[in-house]
Amino acid sequence: MELLLARGQAKAAAAELEAVDRRLTPRGIQNPSRCPRRLHLARAVAAEDPARAREPAEEAVRRARAFGAASGIGQALRVAAEVASPQDRPALLEEAVEVLSASPAAHEPALAPAAPGEERGDAELLLRAVLAARACGADGLVATATTALLARGGALPCGSVPGAAPATTR
């Protein structure tokens, strides 16, 4: 399903995700951290029907909060922000950043500050995204966040070279 989304086959992905939801919901599989089908469904339908995309994203946030894992809540909030109305987006992104700062996960805390950092031109958030992305090896995000940071007049830490691996003791 994620592959269908990555290939731009949103309608096929949405159909598969809806079928998965029909099979798993009666079985009680509701944790969006375990099976993020609602988050993927929100992304799949967002371009054609933004209002329809909000419902599964909001449900995923409710479910994630019920399960209580910071990484799951933060991921759900970040995706909900992707499909939210423009006036709701900033609050969701800010909450995602806050929640994910307490998460032991590495990739989601790197993703979370990148979006509001780019939207607001916030160099501090973009720097956080760059450093977190480097720490978890998310090279694509490092490049994107570094470009956004430098374009907004931000600076990388002393001795940092965009795209370079962190220094080692050797």
Side-chain angles (χ1 to χ4, degrees):
M1 293 163 282
E2 287 182 72
L3 183 57
L4 290 171
L5 281 173
R7 289 183 170 176
Q9 298 173 343
K11 285 184 182 183
E16 288 293 323
L17 289 159
E18 288 168 335
V20 166
D21 193 51
R22 284 190 300 274
R23 286 191 308 272
L24 296 183
T25 298
R27 294 179 185 167
I29 299 172
Q30 300 293 322
N31 187 342
S33 294
R34 181 173 174 214
C35 183
R37 64 190 181 271
R38 289 182 181 97
L39 298 174
H40 296 314
L41 179 60
R43 286 184 174 133
V45 300
E48 280 194 19
D49 193 350
R52 179 177 168 220
R54 290 184 189 109
E55 190 279 320
E58 291 167 0
E59 178 64 20
V61 170
R62 282 191 294 278
R63 297 275 180 195
R65 288 185 198 283
F67 282 94
S71 57
I73 297 167
Q75 178 185 23
L77 286 165
R78 191 178 52 74
V79 173
E82 286 178 23
V83 300
S85 60
Q87 67 269 17
D88 294 336
R89 184 175 162 81
L92 290 166
L93 287 171
E94 287 174 23
E95 186 180 359
V97 170
E98 182 182 323
V99 169
L100 286 166
S101 68
S103 171
H107 191 252
E108 281 296 326
L111 281 172
E118 285 189 59
E119 264 186 26
R120 295 191 314 235
D122 186 326
E124 182 181 329
L125 282 175
L126 288 167
L127 180 59
R128 282 175 57 189
V130 169
L131 297 175
R134 280 185 186 169
C136 72
D139 297 335
L141 182 57
V142 170
T144 302
T146 297
T147 300
L149 173 65
L150 297 175
R152 285 158 179 83
L156 294 170
C158 188
S160 291
V161 177
T168 64
T169 56
R170 287 194 223 167

